[in-house]
């Protein structure tokens, strides 16, 4: 909705208090209509947009214009459209020292990424970029430590 004039003035017309009040009340009562919906880019000039909330969707939306962002509530993560796929940004809550994050895409569908936590402990250690397993089980020691 856009704000429009309350009255169109003609030459020689007298401005009354009620006409002036009506014009100001139009602005005061419809202030959001001055900027919503935006008809051009909004430049914050380096300032913060505070208390901003993302739109929430309960189902994954089809890829839209590049840069469209929303919160996918059933997956609890942020989706960002690349224009051809939805990139998922996980909400990695509860990550604590001693946990390794695993990222997989078992379905092969673009953007259908699954994130998991792997507890490091007595039988599984991570040093730098090296993952090592020790202890019981047969076969691959890392597989034994993770899946046993």
């Amino acid at each position: 909705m856009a704000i429009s004039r309350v009255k169109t003035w003609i030459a020689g017309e007298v401005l009354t208090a009620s006409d002036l009040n009506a014009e100001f009340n139009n602005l005061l009562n419809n202030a959001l209509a001055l900027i919503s919906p935006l008809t051009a880019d909004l430049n914050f000039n380096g300032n913060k947009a505070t208390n901003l909330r993302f739109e929430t969707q309960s189902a994954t939306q089809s890829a839209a214009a590049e840069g469209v962002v929303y919160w996918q509530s059933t997956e609890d993560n942020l989706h960002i459209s690349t224009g051809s796929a939805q990139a998922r940004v996980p909400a990695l809550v509860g990550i604590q020292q001693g946990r390794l994050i695993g990222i997989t895409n078992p379905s092969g569908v673009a953007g259908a990424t699954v994130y998991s936590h792997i507890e490091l402990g007595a039988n599984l250690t991570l040093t730098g970029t090296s993952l090592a397993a020790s202890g019981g089980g047969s076969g691959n020691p890392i597989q034994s430590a993770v899946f046993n």
Side-chain angles (χ1 to χ4, degrees), residues 1-4 26-27 29-42 52:
M1 173 183 165
I3 291 182
S4 59
N26 187 32
L27 294 173
N29 295 332
N30 300 296
L32 187 57
L34 287 169
I35 64 164
S36 178
L38 291 176
T39 56
D41 292 342
L42 182 60
L52 180 67

Side-chain angles (χ1 to χ4, degrees), residues 45 69 140-141:
N45 195 31
V69 179
N140 183 326

Side-chain angles (χ1 to χ4, degrees), residues 64-85:
E66 185 175 357
V68 172
V69 179
Y70 65 93
W71 181 258
Q72 214 285 4
S73 59
T74 57
E75 295 177 6
D76 280 336
N77 62 30
L78 198 62
H79 284 206
I80 304 171
S81 177
T82 65
S84 60

